[in-house]
Amino acid sequence: MTNESTRTVKSAATLFDVLDAVHRLEGGGATAVAEELDIAKSTAHDHLATLAEHEFLIKDEGSYRVGLKCLHYGVQAKSRMVLADVASPSLEQMAEETGEIAWVMVEEYGKGVYLEKAMGDRAVQPYGEIGKRVPLHNIAAGKAILAHLPEDRVREIVTETPLEERTETTVSDPDELLAELETVRDRGYALNDGETFEGFRAVASPVVNDGELLGSIVVSGPENRLSDDRFTEELPEIVTGAANAIELSMASR
Amino acid sequence: MTNESTRTVKSAATLFDVLDAVHRLEGGGATAVAEELDIAKSTAHDHLATLAEHEFLIKDEGSYRVGLKCLHYGVQAKSRMVLADVASPSLEQMAEETGEIAWVMVEEYGKGVYLEKAMGDRAVQPYGEIGKRVPLHNIAAGKAILAHLPEDRVREIVTETPLEERTETTVSDPDELLAELETVRDRGYALNDGETFEGFRAVASPVVNDGELLGSIVVSGPENRLSDDRFTEELPEIVTGAANAIELSMASR
DNA sequence: ACTTTCGTTCGTGGTCCTCGAACGATACCG
DNA sequence: CGGTATCGTTCGAGGACCACGAACGAAAGT
């Protein structure tokens, strides 16, 4: 990620910066983008025109916003969409059974990507969003994934993205993390007890098919509803059960 | 769309061609992409490396596949996601009520984009796919959209994208199409009777909020299950009803 | 061992990307 | 109504860098 030995198309960096700026600004014109990125107004204009010509942006009377062309490519990240489709009913069932929110997550470039969700009737959504990319080390779903990656890959990820401490309980020492991953591997599920947000807990389980890690599923909610036995026994059982169901469905495809 | 008077970043064309090639080939290496696009192998390699560096592609031992980064941008095409969210329950209900498949579609650059779907228990999926971009003139959901665009915009779309005839019954004359759109406007829904695929029918209704066209919803299925009264009365009632429900929910946001 | 095909590297010519300055349009205000 | 401050857009010019072809090492099949 950080090695820039290979030759790349430099103007693409600007191009994607412009796309990202429009995304961040939730729509804007040449001047706004130029200021945001500290480039010439005319350059911003050229890139905006380019992205619009290729239909990645929509032009609306001088202002631009992100189009849906990306969806076209993103959605067809195929093997993962299969996982989303297959996991969907299990997510719904977990959401209904627990009343909380349930997610599928996959790994990409050392980050976690939320793929699909299901909301129970009491569900709150404090953090995730479909397509959002987050660090792996301080969330349950992420630890479930890390636990099933090769150790050197985990070390690579950990050295590339610093272990940001979000709350007091966040694990910030690499070795401590690796030890925790060992436990996760043994018992089959990962926990998050207020490591991302104070007062929020989550239980996650990896989804493996044919020895290959596909992603993980997770249920999360506020501490007062996920207390004691529910957090340490009931939910782990539900989540690992759902993961098994998904693994079975994936195997028969 | 076809006027290239403005200056654009030329290398971006190659860049997106490469992205599209990987997407079409469902993964591949430098040589495959170079052949597909008829460019130098080294050029393909540079662009692949560039796209991978920006995480739009995933590199997997010399071979590349489309990543999920696009999802990140695509999903946040916000106003439309709101529509998808709001329409979702109505789609589910239509799917359950009819047993067929239901979609939400929006317009972008003169094409229709499938946003979200719900499958009934007998549903077949012959054509659509989330994020897929299709012509508007020969499908029910598309005609429902065209009927609520300004006439000159419709003429523009029609002249830009030729009216491809898919089956015998496809409307291929612009004036004939405009006349049909008039009827659609009057009665509030659009029909597709085997114009896209022989033996497939669909009923669609536009979704309008505050005078502005948001998109359309549609239910489609095989002719033998959508015959006579069901096609001309029962389904139109269900679909227009659902569209009204969505419009109400959108209005109160 | 020979052949083929892969991904990748690298030097070079000439394309074209970036910038700054300027222009027309629009909106706001005294 | 004229002055001012925005906006998006156009255009010429210099120099960065994109695209190509040739070559290399590795891997796999014959």
Side-chain angles (χ1 to χ4, degrees):
Chain A
M1 210 72 40
T2 34
N3 63 337
E4 308 303 321
S5 65
T6 51
R7 194 184 305 201
T8 59
V9 181
K10 302 277 170 60
S11 57
T14 320
L15 195 77
F16 290 132
D17 281 348
V18 169
L19 176 60
D20 198 62
V22 173
H23 179 244
R24 242 178 306 130
L25 300 170
E26 301 199 11
T31 311
V33 170
E35 256 175 32
E36 174 84 10
L37 298 176
D38 198 31
I39 56 177
K41 201 166 50 163
S42 51
T43 306
H45 175 264
D46 289 351
H47 281 276
L48 286 169
T50 306
L51 285 162
E53 195 196 18
H54 292 278
E55 307 186 2
F56 282 78
L57 293 179
I58 311 284
K59 185 175 177 176
D60 211 2
E61 301 190 25
S63 175
Y64 297 81
R65 57 194 175 78
V66 177
L68 290 170
K69 184 78 170 268
C70 283
L71 210 63
H72 178 58
Y73 293 110
V75 160
Q76 282 218 2
K78 258 216 170 158
S79 64
R80 313 212 143 168
M81 281 317 286
V82 172
L83 174 61
D85 274 2
V86 166
S88 190
S90 297
L91 288 187
E92 293 288 354
Q93 199 189 328
M94 283 200 298
E96 192 179 334
E97 208 169 329
T98 63
E100 309 293 348
I101 190 168
W103 293 95
V104 206
M105 167 166 283
V106 295
E107 181 262 348
E108 192 168 278
Y109 282 107
K111 294 275 179 58
V113 181
Y114 288 105
L115 248 199
E116 184 68 275
K117 75 176 173 194
M119 309 261 285
D121 48 12
R122 300 179 301 181
V124 287
Q125 182 172 338
Y127 188 49
E129 180 185 338
I130 291 180
K132 187 169 177 180
R133 307 161 75 77
V134 298
L136 289 167
H137 74 281
N138 62 357
I139 53 175
K143 288 189 282 190
I145 287 174
L146 287 175
H148 286 76
L149 290 178
E151 186 174 322
D152 51 352
R153 178 91 180 93
V154 174
R155 287 201 178 274
E156 201 179 299
I157 292 173
V158 161
T159 49
E160 270 173 15
T161 55
L163 295 180
E164 175 201 17
E165 277 186 74
R166 293 192 61 97
T167 72
E168 287 185 357
T169 52
T170 310
V171 175
S172 56
D173 176 59
D175 289 321
E176 198 179 329
L177 178 64
L178 285 167
E180 190 183 339
L181 297 182
E182 176 84 37
T183 342
V184 170
R185 250 190 312 276
D186 287 348
R187 71 183 172 200
Y189 61 88
L191 299 177
N192 176 356
D193 190 355
E195 292 165 44
T196 324
F197 289 102
E198 298 282 1
F200 268 89
R201 290 177 157 177
V203 181
S205 179
V207 179
V208 179
N209 183 28
D210 208 17
E212 188 192 17
L213 173 73
L214 299 176
S216 65
I217 57 174
V218 59
V219 170
S220 79
E223 192 174 338
N224 57 4
R225 292 206 303 257
L226 269 54
S227 49
D228 306 338
D229 287 1
R230 190 130 190 273
F231 183 52
T232 55
E233 291 181 22
E234 193 184 326
L235 278 182
E237 205 165 305
I238 291 176
V239 175
T240 52
N244 278 331
I246 294 170
E247 286 166 359
L248 274 173
S249 315
M250 288 297 292
S252 60
R253 280 181 79 103
Chain B
M1 212 70 42
T2 35
N3 63 336
E4 308 305 320
S5 65
T6 52
R7 195 184 307 202
T8 58
V9 181
K10 303 278 170 58
S11 57
T14 319
L15 196 75
F16 290 132
D17 281 348
V18 169
L19 176 60
D20 199 60
V22 173
H23 178 246
R24 242 178 306 129
L25 299 170
E26 302 200 9
T31 311
V33 171
E35 256 174 34
E36 175 83 10
L37 299 176
D38 199 31
I39 56 177
K41 200 166 50 163
S42 51
T43 306
H45 176 263
D46 289 350
H47 282 275
L48 287 169
T50 306
L51 285 163
E53 194 196 17
H54 291 276
E55 308 187 2
F56 283 77
L57 293 180
I58 311 284
K59 185 175 177 178
D60 213 2
E61 302 190 22
S63 175
Y64 297 82
R65 58 196 173 75
V66 177
L68 291 171
K69 184 80 169 269
C70 283
L71 208 63
H72 178 57
Y73 293 110
V75 160
Q76 283 217 3
K78 260 218 172 152
S79 64
R80 313 214 143 166
M81 280 317 284
V82 173
L83 175 61
D85 274 1
V86 166
S88 190
S90 297
L91 287 187
E92 294 287 353
Q93 200 190 327
M94 283 200 297
E96 193 179 333
E97 210 168 328
T98 62
E100 309 293 348
I101 190 167
W103 292 97
V104 207
M105 166 166 283
V106 296
E107 181 264 348
E108 192 168 277
Y109 282 106
K111 294 274 178 60
V113 182
Y114 288 105
L115 248 199
E116 185 66 274
K117 74 177 174 192
M119 309 262 285
D121 48 11
R122 299 178 300 179
V124 285
Q125 183 174 339
Y127 188 48
E129 179 185 339
I130 291 181
K132 186 169 177 180
R133 308 160 75 77
V134 297
L136 289 167
H137 74 281
N138 63 355
I139 55 176
K143 287 189 283 189
I145 286 174
L146 287 176
H148 289 263
L149 292 178
E151 185 173 323
D152 51 354
R153 178 91 179 94
V154 174
R155 287 202 178 274
E156 200 179 299
I157 291 173
V158 161
T159 48
E160 268 174 16
T161 54
L163 297 179
E164 174 201 17
E165 277 187 74
R166 292 192 61 97
T167 70
E168 286 184 359
T169 51
T170 311
V171 174
S172 56
D173 176 60
D175 289 321
E176 197 179 331
L177 179 64
L178 286 167
E180 190 183 339
L181 296 182
E182 176 83 37
T183 341
V184 170
R185 251 191 311 278
D186 287 348
R187 72 182 171 201
Y189 60 89
L191 299 177
N192 176 354
D193 190 357
E195 291 165 46
T196 324
F197 288 100
E198 297 282 2
F200 269 88
R201 290 177 156 177
V203 181
S205 180
V207 179
V208 180
N209 183 30
D210 208 17
E212 188 192 17
L213 173 73
L214 300 176
S216 64
I217 56 174
V218 59
V219 170
S220 78
E223 193 173 338
N224 57 3
R225 292 205 302 256
L226 269 55
S227 48
D228 306 337
D229 288 1
R230 190 129 192 274
F231 183 51
T232 55
E233 291 181 22
E234 192 183 327
L235 277 183
E237 204 164 305
I238 292 176
V239 175
T240 52
N244 278 331
I246 294 171
E247 286 164 359
L248 275 174
S249 314
M250 287 297 291
S252 61
R253 278 181 79 104

